[in-house]
C-alpha cells in the first residue's frame, strides 16, 4: 500500500515536471468529427437522449469557452474577423445535432436561439440561425407557444422587425396553453414596437415567466441594459453641452469633472465606468458584463 | 415448477456471490456525481440529464450483466463439468435452461429496481434544490410514475437479450456467444433502417431480404421510450402492452430454441 502511494506520488511529480519543461498546448482546436445527425442517431443506438445531452454540454462548453476566450484580458473584443477564424463556428452544428438526436429538447431550442442571436462578441450574431433552430422545434411541436414567442422575440430584439414580431406573438397567443399576457404583448408590439417601455414590459414578462435560471438571468441582464440606456440618455446632453460650451472634444470623464460638468466618473449599473467614444457618443465599456448594448430599437429599422 | 424456482434462486445466489450487484455501487457513484456536478455544466438541464443518465445506466449495466452472465449460464456448467452432476439428478434439461434464465432475469429485476429507486432519490435531490413553484413547471415531476414505463420496457429488453445470450450459450463458446449477442443487440436497434431498406437500394431482392431480417431479428428499438418519458410525453398503455407481448413472444421463441438444442446436446 505504501509502495503504491509512493509510486503514485512519483508519477504525479514526474508529470508535473514534464508539464513544466514541455508545456502542453493551452487550448486544442475544437473539432466536430460527426456532422450528420442521421449517422449519429444510428450510432447512438438506444442512447439517443444521452447522446443529445453530450452534444448539449459540448454546445454550452463551446459557447462559454469562446466567450471566455474573447473576453479574457489581453483579448480586445473587436470584430469576428479580428479573431482570425470564425468564432462560435461550431455552435449551430452542435445545437442542430443535439436537437436531431432529441427532437423534444426544449432547452436546446430556446437557449440555443438566445446564444445564436447574441451579437458578437457575446455570441455569433446569427438571428437567422436562431429562427431556423426554433422553426425546427416548431416542426416537431407545432403548438408550442414558447418557440413562437422566442421567434417573435428574435425579430423584435435583434432584427427590429416589429411587424413580424407582433405577428409571431399573436400566433403564440392563439396556441393552446399560451399565457394571458401573450395577447397584450402582441398588441403592444404592433402598436408601439421599438419603444423602450414596451421592450421593458416584454423583458419583465419573460423574467417573470422564466422556468430556468439562465433564462431569468438573461432577461434580467436585458433589463439592466435598458437601465444603462436610460442612464446614457441622461449623460449624452451633459457631454454635448460641454462640447458646445468649451469647444473642446470630450475625451474622458476626468476632463468633464474638472470643468464641473459632472461630479465624478459615471458608472453603469454593474459598476464599470461608461466610455466616451472618439465621436463623442457614450457606450458601456467592453469590460462591462452589459457589453454590447443592444442597438436602440427604432421603428425606422422595421422591415415590411 | 419448484425445480425451476430452486435453480433460479441458486443462479441469483451465485450472481450475488460473483459480486454482480457491485455495479450498483458504480451506479450510485455515477448518479451522486451527476447530481452534484451537472448543474455546473448544463445551463439548468441537470435534471433532464440525470434522468437520461439514470435510464441509460440501467440499460447499459443491465446489458453487460445480461450478456456476460447469460453466456456463462450453461457453458460454465459444461466447462466445469458440473453439468454431469446436475443431469444425473432428477432434473429435466428444460428445467435447467428455464431455471437459469429465470434466475438471471430475477437478478436483473433486483438490479434495475434498486437503480430505479436510486434514480428517483437523485431526482428528488435535484428538485429539492429549486423552489417548488419552479419544479411545478417541469415536464417530469420528481415523483412521476411515467418513468416506470421506461424502466419496465428496459427490463423487457434485457430479458430478450438474456434469452439471446442463453440461446447462443447452449451450443457455442462464451466468446462467440457474446459476439453474437452483441451483434444481435446492435442489429436490433437498426430495425427501422432494415424496414426502410427499399428506399436506399435498387435491388428488389436486397430490399425483400432486409424486410425479412426486419421481421425475424429482435426489434429492440420497440422497447426504447426513454426519449419520451424524459420529456413527460405520453407513452400509450396500448403501445406498452404490445411491446411487452412482442418481447414475451420473442423470449418464448428463443427459450424453446435453447431448450430444444440443449435437450439434444450430447455431453459425452
Amino acid at each position: 500500500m505504501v509502495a503504491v502511494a509512493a509510486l503514485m506520488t512519483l508519477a504525479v511529480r514526474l508529470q508535473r515536471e514534464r508539464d513544466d519543461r514541455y508545456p502542453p498546448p493551452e487550448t486544442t482546436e475544437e473539432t466536430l468529427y460527426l456532422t450528420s445527425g442521421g449517422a449519429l442517431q444510428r450510432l447512438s443506438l438506444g442512447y439517443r437522449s444521452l447522446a443529445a445531452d453530450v452534444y448539449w454540454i459540448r454546445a454550452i462548453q463551446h459557447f462559454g469557452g469562446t466567450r471566455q476566450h474573447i473576453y479574457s484580458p489581453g483579448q480586445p473584443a473587436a470584430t469576428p474577423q479580428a479573431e482570425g477564424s470564425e468564432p462560435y463556428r461550431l455552435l449551430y452544428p452542435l445545437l442542430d445535432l443535439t436537437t436531431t438526436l432529441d427532437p423534444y429538447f426544449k432547452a436546446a431550442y430556446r437557449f440555443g436561439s438566445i446564444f445564436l442571436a447574441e451579437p458578437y462578441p457575446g455570441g455569433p450574431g446569427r438571428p437567422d440561425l436562431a429562427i431556423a433552430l426554433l422553426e425546427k422545434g416548431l416542426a416537431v411541436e407545432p403548438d408550442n407557444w414558447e418557440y413562437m414567442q422566442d421567434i417573435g422575440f428574435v425579430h423584435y430584439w435583434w432584427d427590429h422587425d416589429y411587424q413580424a414580431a407582433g405577428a409571431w406573438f399573436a400566433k403564440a397567443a392563439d396556441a393552446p396553453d399560451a399565457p394571458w399576457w401573450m395577447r397584450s404583448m402582441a398588441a403592444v408590439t404592433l402598436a408601439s414596437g421599438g419603444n423602450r417601455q414596451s421592450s421593458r414590459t416584454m423583458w419583465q414578462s419573460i423574467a417573470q415567466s422564466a422556468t430556468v435560471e439562465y433564462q431569468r438571468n438573461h432577461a434580467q441582464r436585458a433589463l439592466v441594459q435598458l437601465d444603462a440606456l436610460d442612464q446614457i440618455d441622461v449623460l449624452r446632453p451633459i457631454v454635448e453641452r460641454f462640447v458646445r460650451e468649451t469647444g473642446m472634444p470630450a475625451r474622458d470623464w476626468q476632463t468633464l469633472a474638472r470643468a464641473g460638468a459632472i461630479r465624478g466618473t459615471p458608472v453603469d449599473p454593474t459598476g464599470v465606468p461608461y466610455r466616451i467614444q472618439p465621436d463623442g457618443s457614450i457606450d458601456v465599456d467592453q469590460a462591462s458584463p452589459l457589453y454590447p448594448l443592444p442597438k436602440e430599437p427604432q421603428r425606422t429599422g422595421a422591415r415590411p | 415448477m419448484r425445480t425451476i424456482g430452486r435453480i433460479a434462486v441458486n443462479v441469483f445466489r451465485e450472481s450475488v456471490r460473483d459480486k454482480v450487484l457491485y455495479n450498483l455501487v458504480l451506479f450510485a457513484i455515477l448518479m451522486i456525481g451527476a447530481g452534484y456536478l451537472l448543474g455546473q455544466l448544463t445551463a439548468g438541464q441537470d435534471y433532464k440529464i440525470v434522468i437520461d443518465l439514470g435510464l441509460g445506466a440501467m440499460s447499459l449495466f443491465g446489458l453487460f450483466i445480461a450478456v456476460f452472465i447469460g453466456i456463462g449460464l450453461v457453458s460454465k456448467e459444461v466447462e466445469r463439468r458440473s453439468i454431469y452432476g446436475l443431469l444425473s439428478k432428477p432434473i429435466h434439461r428444460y428445467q435447467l435452461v428455464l431455471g437459469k434464465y429465470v434466475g438471471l432475469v430475477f437478478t436483473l429485476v433486483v438490479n434495475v429496481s434498486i437503480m430505479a429507486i436510486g434514480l428517483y432519490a437523485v431526482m428528488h435531490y435535484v428538485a429539492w434544490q429549486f423552489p417548488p413553484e419552479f419544479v411545478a413547471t417541469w415536464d417530469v415531476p420528481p415523483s412521476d410514475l411515467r418513468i416506470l414505463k421506461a424502466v419496465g420496457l428496459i427490463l423487457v429488453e434485457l430479458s430478450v437479450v438474456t434469452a439471446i445470450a442463453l440461446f447462443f450459450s447452449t451450443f457455442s463458446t462464451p466468446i462467440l456467444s457474446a459476439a453474437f449477442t452483441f451483434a444481435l443487440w446492435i442489429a436490433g436497434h437498426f430495425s427501422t433502417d432494415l424496414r426502410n431498406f427499399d428506399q436506399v437500394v435498387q435491388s428488389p431482392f436486397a430490399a425483400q431480404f432486409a424486410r425479412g431480417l426486419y421481421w425475424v431479428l429482435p426489434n429492440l428499438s420497440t422497447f426504447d421510450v426513454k426519449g419520451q418519458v424524459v420529456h413527460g410525453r405520453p407513452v400509450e398503455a396500448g403501445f406498452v402492452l404490445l411491446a411487452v407481448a412482442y418481447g414475451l413472444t420473442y423470449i418464448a421463441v428463443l427459450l424453446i430454441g435453447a431448450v430444444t438444442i440443449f435437450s439434444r446436446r450430447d455431453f459425452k
Side-chain angles (χ1 to χ4, degrees):
Chain A
M1 203 65 187
V2 175
V4 169
L7 286 169
M8 200 60 224
T9 312
L10 180 66
V12 171
R13 285 202 172 179
L14 284 169
Q15 176 138 320
R16 187 182 288 174
E17 186 68 23
R18 192 207 59 193
D19 285 354
D20 289 345
R21 288 190 191 188
Y22 310 101
E26 286 279 321
T27 51
T28 50
E29 198 188 338
E30 281 195 274
T31 311
L32 202 55
Y33 292 106
L34 287 163
T35 51
S36 158
L40 262 173
Q41 273 186 328
R42 287 171 181 83
L43 287 174
S44 54
L45 297 168
Y47 303 96
R48 282 183 195 175
S49 198
L50 207 53
D53 296 340
V54 172
Y55 276 90
W56 169 240
I57 292 173
R58 273 200 70 185
I60 292 171
Q61 297 295 310
H62 175 67
F63 179 70
T66 308
R67 263 174 86 118
Q68 202 172 19
H69 176 67
I70 292 170
Y71 283 111
S72 63
Q75 288 286 335
T79 59
Q81 289 74 24
E83 277 292 301
S85 63
E86 198 187 338
Y88 301 106
R89 71 185 194 289
L90 295 183
L91 186 57
Y92 182 75
L94 285 168
L95 291 166
D96 188 40
L97 287 173
T98 305
T99 50
T100 300
L101 286 164
D102 186 350
Y104 295 102
F105 203 154
K106 207 182 280 182
Y109 295 112
R110 301 199 69 198
F111 295 165
S113 69
I114 294 174
F115 299 159
L116 286 164
E118 188 88 14
Y120 189 84
R126 294 295 303 268
D128 55 328
L129 292 181
I131 290 171
L133 187 69
L134 289 163
E135 283 177 341
K136 185 180 174 189
L138 265 182
V140 179
E141 292 182 90
D143 288 335
N144 190 313
W145 67 268
E146 290 168 311
Y147 298 160
M148 298 178 205
Q149 181 205 21
D150 291 347
I151 294 176
F153 171 77
V154 174
H155 282 302
Y156 186 104
W157 196 248
W158 303 117
D159 288 347
H160 306 304
D161 184 345
Y162 308 111
Q163 289 298 318
W168 276 104
F169 292 150
K171 202 173 168 187
D174 290 337
D177 305 325
W180 60 269
W181 45 261
M182 186 53 69
R183 195 158 301 283
S184 51
M185 189 191 275
V188 168
T189 303
L190 288 170
S192 58
N195 178 303
R196 199 178 293 166
Q197 188 49 42
S198 74
S199 303
R200 198 181 293 279
T201 307
M202 188 171 75
W203 279 117
Q204 279 165 345
S205 306
I206 291 170
Q208 281 162 13
S209 64
T211 52
V212 179
E213 205 178 348
Y214 179 85
Q215 204 178 11
R216 190 163 43 192
N217 291 344
H218 182 71
Q220 279 165 350
R221 176 174 176 262
L223 285 166
V224 179
Q225 283 182 317
L226 291 175
D227 291 341
L229 286 170
D230 285 346
Q231 291 178 353
I232 288 171
D233 281 352
V234 174
L235 291 169
R236 193 180 299 119
I238 296 172
V239 172
E240 285 168 357
R241 194 167 60 231
F242 171 83
V243 173
R244 208 170 42 244
E245 288 176 0
T246 63
M248 291 191 305
R251 289 206 174 86
D252 52 46
W253 297 113
Q254 285 76 17
T255 312
L256 270 82
R258 277 197 295 275
I262 52 167
R263 285 188 193 151
T265 302
V267 293
D268 70 26
T270 65
V272 178
Y274 284 108
R275 209 176 60 170
I276 302 177
Q277 309 274 44
D279 65 355
S281 63
I282 303 163
D283 200 353
V284 290
D285 194 86
Q286 287 186 0
S288 170
L290 302 179
Y291 181 85
L293 284 179
K295 272 190 226 157
E296 186 67 270
Q298 298 167 40
R299 273 202 161 272
T300 50
R303 289 198 298 251
Chain B
M1 203 65 185
R2 190 179 288 177
T3 312
I4 293 173
R6 280 182 188 153
I7 295 169
V9 169
N10 269 317
V11 171
F12 177 69
R13 279 187 190 151
E14 201 179 333
S15 60
V16 173
R17 265 202 307 273
D18 286 347
K19 302 177 178 56
V20 167
L21 298 181
Y22 272 27
N23 78 92
L24 292 172
V25 177
L26 190 62
F27 179 79
I29 293 169
L30 186 76
M31 294 309 293
I32 292 166
Y36 180 72
L37 289 175
L38 282 177
Q40 318 292 320
L41 294 169
T42 58
Q45 293 309 296
D46 38 341
Y47 185 73
K48 185 244 180 204
I49 296 178
V50 157
I51 303 175
D52 279 336
L53 206 60
L55 293 174
M58 267 180 222
S59 163
L60 198 64
F61 290 178
L63 174 73
F64 285 125
I65 293 173
V67 174
F68 290 115
I69 308 289
I71 57 168
L73 284 177
V74 174
S75 58
K76 219 157 69 176
E77 303 288 358
V78 179
E79 257 174 45
R80 287 180 191 160
R81 303 193 185 284
S82 50
I83 193 82
Y84 300 116
L86 275 170
L87 295 180
S88 63
K89 292 193 170 72
I91 298 174
H92 293 288
R93 289 192 181 193
Y94 80 87
Q95 289 174 324
L96 185 68
V97 172
L98 294 183
K100 294 273 186 186
Y101 176 75
V102 173
L104 185 50
V105 168
F106 181 64
T107 307
L108 287 167
V109 169
V110 170
N111 202 54
V112 169
S113 304
I114 295 172
M115 286 187 190
I117 293 167
L119 173 60
Y120 273 110
V122 178
M123 283 165 67
H124 274 92
Y125 168 73
V126 175
W128 169 75
Q129 299 172 54
F130 294 92
E133 63 273 16
F134 223 61
V135 176
T137 63
W138 290 356
D139 292 334
V140 184
S143 302
D144 195 340
L145 294 178
R146 283 173 296 186
I147 298 278
L148 291 179
K149 286 184 184 173
V151 174
L153 288 179
I154 286 172
L155 261 176
V156 178
E157 180 183 350
L158 294 176
S159 304
V160 174
V161 174
T162 306
I164 295 170
L166 180 67
F167 172 75
F168 285 123
S169 83
T170 55
F171 63 87
S172 186
T173 63
I175 290 176
L176 280 179
S177 299
F180 291 149
T181 310
F182 274 121
L184 270 188
W185 180 77
I186 291 168
H189 283 281
F190 276 97
S191 47
T192 313
D193 289 295
L194 288 172
R195 193 173 194 277
N196 301 328
F197 209 61
D198 55 345
Q199 293 169 13
V200 290
V201 292
Q202 298 285 335
S203 158
F205 172 75
Q208 285 300 320
F209 183 70
R211 186 56 73 96
L213 284 177
Y214 169 73
W215 294 119
V216 174
L217 293 177
N219 185 351
L220 298 178
S221 55
T222 301
F223 307 115
D224 183 15
V225 293
K226 298 193 284 289
Q228 282 100 300
V229 298
V230 79
H231 293 296
R233 299 197 65 77
V235 180
E236 286 178 29
F239 175 86
V240 176
L241 282 176
L242 276 175
V244 171
Y246 170 75
L248 292 178
T249 311
Y250 210 94
I251 289 166
V253 170
L254 287 163
L255 290 182
I256 289 169
V259 166
T260 309
I261 293 170
F262 189 68
S263 301
R264 292 180 181 177
R265 199 166 158 184
D266 187 359
F267 291 106
K268 274 185 215 165

